[in-house]
Amino acid sequence: MKANNDVRPVFCDTCGGPLRYSQDGLEATCPYCGNRYNFRGGKSEALSLALSRANSYRLNCDFDEAIREYTLITERNPDDAEAWWGLALSKYGIEYVPDPRTGMRVPTCHRTVKESILCDESYLNAIKYAAPAQAESYRLKAEQIERLQSGIKSRLAQEESFDVFLCFRSADKNGAPTKERTVARRIYDELTRRGINTFFSEESLKGRLGEDYEPIIYKALYSCRFFILIATSAENVNTAWVKNEWSRFRDRVYEERLSSACCAVFENITPADLPSFLRGQGVNLAKYPAGGYEIEIADALERRFKSFGEERQPQYRADSRDGLNALLDKGRYALTRGDFVSAAAAFSSAIDEDGDCGEAWLGAFMAELEVRSIKNEKKFAQEISNRLWSSGTTVAECRRRLAANEHILYALSSPYYKNAVKYSTAAMARTLSGAKSYIMDMADKCNAALKLSLNECASRESAASSAESGYNESYRGGYDDYDYDNTSNTASNAAAFAGGAIAGGLLGAFLGGRRRRRRPPVHMGFMPPPRPPRPAPPRGPRVRPFGGPRGPRFGGGPRMGGPRGRR
């Protein structure tokens, strides 16, 4: 008999509320958002786990990772309606929050998209493959999201535009202000003093309701002329809100083909920890121990905005193709010597010159993956797969390795990869596509094993910390049990200690006096006369006794000579 491996969810994949199942267990309804589920077809365990992982990313507002996970699911299961619906929600940045008046969960938008969700391919596929009741639920939710998006777009005209956007993490897990917040404040004060309109969340969102945040942030991201990411740790770069902002500006860079419109202000991290589009230029705070970085940033932005404000006639260069070839040569040379940051900058400039150049897109993709060459499908897939991690020894190490795996998966779904397949030769496109499928399969297995290792390390470290705290409590408790205020105990203990000390001293004096050697009397009032100097040894050849240098010392005569006499 075939075992039933179907795994059914406990929580709603749309809002995260607990589901209510029917008596036969084949249908479920979410009482909070009204979503309906039909499990008569059944889902495999692997598909259910993949959906659960993607839903967790979306519910935590990590929409980029959710999009990547849902895209992988739809490629392998193109008829799964839940995956298509989750992909649509992630594209539009939908989060369901409880309404305090009704107790129901209502959608809020963390992203504003120009196209209507009713015309989105993901939504249409969700309607196509869903059961009738579930499709009707999706349709009602999509109409609600469309009304919400329309309201946001209508308010965009009322919001102001900005010249500079500051992206940073303002508070840590404990609510304490981060160093990025201090750095951002100094930059904001300097830019504001010079008349540069800057988006700084603490000032720009002050006094506004939470529902008004998205129109302001969207208008600031798509109207700013320069974007600055401030980061002092790789963890802060990848937090949900920070990543939501820089990933949307990254999409704008790719769509509008912006050049040199962003930089990173960083410390304690390497350029490899930054997003690829921010590795070209940046400010390292370690070079400014006394400050002053805000002045240099303000000076550079003033020069940039002044040059852009001047009316200049477009200059058409006859040697544009020669410039493109020079950039490609520069990128190839940087790849051969392993300078991937310079290679990424060169190929990005080549893409600005010619957006249909397949070699430029391929070179940017290779710089993103830090690959020097792609010889064939097998070697390329094996090289990337060898970089995947599947285990770790500590929680921090597991998280770092999981982030490294996720970076590889992002590179395989980035615009660099898609355009490299689109504009490269047919042979190279087949090589990249075949290698991608193999790497994706290996990445799923490695990530699953790495997450198990992460859970084991977390449980082991929590057990160790609890054991250590219990030992410290028992150690302190041993002293707390002693009654320091009991004077009778103190007096009796002191008397016992004094008696033992006296008896021990008398016994030691008696036994020690029998073995003690008599010392000469001390001369009082004067010092003994100094000893006369020893006479100098007679000059002449030194006569060694028979039997070697150590013979007489060991009592050997002229015959024996000690242990070394006959040698």
Side-chain angles (χ1 to χ4, degrees):
M1 183 177 178
K2 185 178 179 180
N4 185 12
N5 293 327
D6 296 344
V7 179
R8 297 171 186 172
V10 179
F11 301 99
C12 176
D13 60 357
T14 301
C15 68
L19 296 178
R20 291 181 181 176
Y21 277 83
S22 60
Q23 293 182 356
D24 57 2
L26 299 178
E27 294 182 357
T29 305
C30 178
Y32 297 96
C33 67
N35 205 10
R36 297 181 179 180
Y37 295 85
N38 188 345
F39 302 105
R40 299 187 184 278
K43 292 182 182 294
S44 64
E45 183 177 2
L47 177 58
S48 299
L49 293 176
L51 285 172
S52 177
R53 183 168 60 250
N55 291 334
S56 65
Y57 282 127
R58 180 175 55 79
L59 294 175
N60 290 325
C61 298
D62 195 351
F63 298 111
D64 277 352
E65 295 298 328
I67 290 173
R68 185 185 61 78
E69 290 287 343
Y70 284 124
T71 302
L72 293 176
I73 296 173
T74 54
E75 289 178 356
R76 299 173 183 177
N77 303 273
D79 56 348
D80 189 83
E82 294 181 26
W84 287 112
W85 176 244
L87 181 58
L89 293 178
S90 301
K91 287 181 179 179
Y92 287 80
I94 304 300
E95 180 189 11
Y96 281 81
V97 297
D99 188 352
R101 295 172 299 176
T102 62
M104 301 290 291
R105 292 182 179 266
V106 295
T108 58
C109 288
H110 295 288
R111 292 185 173 187
T112 302
V113 184
K114 298 178 181 179
E115 294 79 12
S116 172
I117 190 175
L118 300 177
C119 301
D120 184 69
E121 180 185 2
S122 303
Y123 163 72
L124 296 177
N125 285 329
I127 296 295
K128 178 181 178 181
Y129 296 111
Q134 192 173 10
E136 182 63 23
S137 175
Y138 290 162
R139 189 176 292 108
L140 294 176
K141 293 181 183 302
E143 292 175 356
Q144 187 180 14
I145 294 171
E146 178 61 24
R147 289 193 298 269
L148 183 61
Q149 290 267 329
S150 300
I152 293 175
K153 294 174 184 177
S154 64
R155 284 181 288 172
L156 290 178
Q158 305 173 3
E159 303 297 339
E160 63 175 331
S161 301
F162 293 90
D163 297 323
V164 179
F165 191 101
L166 298 180
C167 176
F168 63 97
R169 184 179 183 180
S170 60
D172 57 12
K173 297 178 180 179
N174 300 323
T178 60
K179 185 176 181 180
E180 289 96 326
R181 182 180 180 180
T182 305
V183 174
R185 168 61 72 176
R186 296 184 64 171
I187 297 175
Y188 170 77
D189 292 340
E190 182 66 25
L191 294 178
T192 304
R193 188 181 65 83
R194 303 193 185 196
I196 299 176
N197 193 13
T198 306
F199 177 85
F200 181 62
S201 57
E202 293 186 0
E203 298 292 338
S204 304
L205 301 178
K206 182 184 295 185
R208 305 296 292 267
L209 298 176
E211 60 185 9
D212 295 334
Y213 287 175
E214 174 55 26
I216 302 173
I217 295 175
Y218 179 85
K219 185 67 174 290
L221 283 172
Y222 282 87
S223 65
C224 67
R225 294 190 286 175
F226 202 82
F227 181 90
I228 300 177
L229 173 65
I230 304 170
T232 58
S233 67
E235 180 183 2
N236 292 346
V237 175
N238 294 312
T239 54
W241 294 102
V242 175
K243 190 174 183 180
N244 184 29
E245 292 176 352
W246 64 253
S247 63
R248 295 164 74 180
F249 189 82
R250 177 199 61 200
D251 297 339
R252 180 191 170 194
V253 169
Y254 293 149
E255 292 172 1
E256 302 179 11
R257 295 181 180 177
L258 302 178
S259 177
S260 302
C262 54
C263 76
V265 180
F266 61 94
E267 187 180 25
N268 301 326
I269 59 176
T270 61
D273 297 326
L274 296 171
S276 58
F277 75 102
L278 287 166
R279 297 174 185 173
Q281 55 184 351
V283 177
N284 190 351
L285 295 176
K287 299 180 180 179
Y288 301 89
Y293 52 86
E294 69 278 5
I295 298 177
E296 291 197 10
I297 293 174
D299 292 340
L301 290 177
E302 274 191 339
R303 292 192 298 268
R304 176 185 177 85
F305 294 156
K306 183 178 180 180
S307 62
F308 283 177
E310 297 176 354
E311 295 183 358
R312 295 177 295 177
Q313 297 294 330
Q315 300 178 0
Y316 299 96
R317 297 183 303 170
D319 58 343
S320 60
R321 194 67 189 176
D322 295 337
L324 176 63
N325 292 331
L327 291 173
L328 293 176
D329 291 339
K330 183 178 178 181
R332 294 190 205 102
Y333 177 69
L335 283 180
T336 55
R337 69 174 188 270
D339 188 1
F340 301 107
V341 176
S342 300
F347 287 121
S348 297
S349 301
I351 292 172
D352 295 336
E353 293 284 338
D354 184 5
D356 298 335
C357 180
E359 185 178 358
W361 287 108
L362 179 62
F365 170 68
M366 295 170 62
E368 178 75 17
L369 275 181
E370 298 184 356
V371 176
R372 298 192 179 190
S373 63
I374 299 178
K375 297 181 180 180
N376 54 56
E377 175 185 336
K378 184 177 179 180
K379 290 185 177 180
F380 173 61
Q382 191 65 36
E383 179 182 358
I384 302 301
S385 299
N386 290 338
R387 302 181 186 177
L388 296 171
W389 297 94
S390 60
S391 63
T393 56
T394 62
V395 173
E397 185 180 39
C398 290
R399 288 176 178 172
R400 287 196 303 268
R401 292 180 175 182
L402 191 61
N405 291 355
E406 298 295 342
H407 175 72
I408 293 175
L409 293 178
Y410 165 74
L412 293 173
S413 59
S414 64
Y416 290 140
Y417 169 81
K418 296 177 182 177
N419 289 318
V421 173
K422 180 179 180 181
Y423 296 111
S424 296
T425 61
M428 180 56 68
R430 288 193 299 270
T431 299
L432 295 177
S433 301
K436 178 183 177 180
S437 61
Y438 177 81
I439 296 170
M440 289 294 186
D441 292 336
M442 293 297 297
D444 287 344
K445 298 176 183 178
C446 291
N447 283 343
L450 188 56
K451 289 176 181 178
L452 291 177
S453 179
L454 174 63
N455 295 333
E456 293 176 358
C457 293
S459 59
R460 184 170 61 249
E461 291 182 5
S462 62
S465 61
S466 61
E468 182 179 358
S469 61
Y471 172 76
N472 292 334
E473 292 294 334
S474 63
Y475 186 74
R476 289 193 298 270
Y479 288 96
D480 294 339
D481 294 339
Y482 186 83
D483 189 4
Y484 288 97
D485 296 332
N486 192 340
T487 56
S488 62
N489 290 342
T490 305
S492 61
N493 291 339
F497 175 76
I502 294 173
L506 293 175
L507 182 62
F510 174 73
L511 295 177
R514 297 176 61 184
R515 297 194 180 111
R516 186 180 302 169
R517 298 177 61 184
R518 182 179 295 274
R519 294 183 179 180
V522 181
H523 298 275
M524 304 298 292
F526 66 93
M527 296 297 293
R531 294 181 180 180
R534 293 182 179 182
R539 296 180 178 273
R542 183 178 180 183
V543 180
R544 294 182 179 273
F546 181 77
R550 300 178 64 183
R553 187 181 305 172
F554 289 88
R559 182 176 181 180
M560 298 298 296
R564 298 180 62 182
R566 295 185 180 276
R567 190 180 301 177

